[in-house]
Amino acid sequence: MSSRRRTAIVGSLVAASFSAVVILSTTAGAKDEGPGSSEGGKAVEQAPAGVELTTLLPERISVDNSSKKTAITATVKNGGTKESDDIRLLVVGFDGLRINEVKGCTEIPEKDLPEGSNSGYSCAVGELGAGRSRSYDVDATYDLGKEGKICLPVQSADGSTTFWQQGPVPFGTVNPSPDAPATPLLLGTDNQPVAPGGDELPRTGVAREALVPLGAAGAVLVAAGAAGAWWTRRRPAGS
C-alpha cells in the first residue's frame, strides 16, 4: 500500500473518531427528562362528555448531589374532543421530595396540605382545549437519604371534584452514586438510599411501616374522588 493511500485512510479514521466524540459530548450535555409518562395515574370522577384529563411526568430526572436540587416538568393534558371547564392542577410532594416552587402557581398553605405531604402548589389551568396540554416547571429538592414521591391531582376549579390523580408515585434509584455530581432517578422506582456504613437503609423520615396507611389513604382518595377525602388535614374555619 502506498504511503499516500495509508495517509488518506488514517486521516479518514481520525476524522470519523473526532466526529463521534463531538456527537457523544453533545448528547451527554443535553438536558433530557425523557418522554412524559402517566404511570401511577387513574381517573377518579368522570369528566364531562368529550373531556379526557390526564397528567404526565418525566420518566427520569436528575438530582444534584451537593444542592439536592432537581427540576421536574408537570403536564396536564386534555386528550378529549371538547374543551374542559375551568380546572386546576395540584403538585404535591411527599417524604424526601419537597416542592419549592411551581412557576405561575400558588403555594398551598400548610394547614390545607393532604395528610403525609410536606409541600404543594395549586395551578389555575383554566379551560383546556381539546387535544391541548399545559406544562409547569417544578423546582424541587430531593433528600436522597429518603424515599420521595410526587402527586398530581386534576380537579375542578373549586376543588370539589377530582377528575384524575397521578400518584403519589415515587422517583428513585436502585444504584445510588454519592460520589457522582448528580444522581439519576426513574419514575415509578422506590428510592434505595445509600446506607451510612452498612447494608440497612437509614430510618429517616416516614418509617416503612407508616407508608402502608399512607398508600391506603391514597387508594381511598382515588376510589372516592372527593375533596373531603383528599384534604384530610384541613382545619375547621376559625381555628
Side-chain angles (χ1 to χ4, degrees):
M1 182 183 295
S2 67
S3 60
R4 178 177 298 178
R5 181 172 178 78
R6 284 200 302 272
T7 301
I9 292 174
V10 171
S12 298
L13 291 175
V14 170
S17 299
F18 178 75
S19 298
V21 170
V22 171
I23 292 172
L24 290 174
S25 299
T26 302
T27 302
K31 180 183 178 182
D32 183 11
E33 287 189 330
S37 171
S38 60
E39 180 172 352
K42 183 176 181 179
V44 183
E45 296 191 51
Q46 187 172 359
V51 177
E52 184 180 332
L53 299 170
T54 58
T55 55
L56 299 172
L57 286 165
E59 291 185 348
R60 60 182 179 270
I61 61 174
S62 180
V63 177
D64 186 290
N65 285 339
S66 297
S67 65
K68 300 182 181 180
K69 290 182 179 180
T70 186
I72 303 171
T73 301
T75 301
V76 56
K77 179 180 179 181
N78 179 8
T81 57
K82 294 184 179 180
E83 183 177 70
S84 74
D85 294 330
D86 284 349
I87 59 172
R88 70 179 185 181
L89 171 70
L90 306 183
V91 183
V92 184
F94 291 81
D95 305 328
L97 179 60
R98 175 174 291 274
I99 310 300
N100 297 324
E101 183 184 10
V102 182
K103 302 294 192 300
C105 303
T106 303
E107 186 174 8
I108 299 173
E110 183 178 357
K111 66 182 180 66
D112 293 331
L113 287 172
E115 184 71 30
S117 68
N118 57 44
S119 54
Y121 279 75
S122 175
C123 306
V125 179
E127 297 176 349
L128 193 60
R132 303 295 297 273
S133 63
R134 185 166 298 174
S135 296
Y136 295 88
D137 294 329
V138 180
D139 291 332
T141 51
Y142 196 119
D143 182 349
L144 293 170
K146 305 177 183 179
E147 294 186 348
K149 301 180 182 69
I150 190 170
C151 189
L152 302 181
V154 180
Q155 301 181 332
S156 56
D158 62 3
S160 61
T161 305
T162 300
F163 300 112
W164 167 271
Q165 181 174 310
Q166 184 173 7
V169 61
F171 274 107
T173 177
V174 296
N175 185 25
S177 49
D179 297 328
T183 298
L185 302 181
L186 298 177
L187 182 67
T189 302
D190 288 328
N191 190 44
Q192 295 189 11
V194 176
D199 294 330
E200 184 178 355
L201 299 182
R203 293 279 181 174
T204 56
V206 180
R208 168 66 67 176
E209 293 78 5
L211 293 178
V212 176
L214 175 59
V220 170
L221 168 63
V222 169
W230 174 248
W231 303 119
T232 53
R233 286 186 59 187
R234 184 180 297 279
R235 297 175 181 173
S239 60

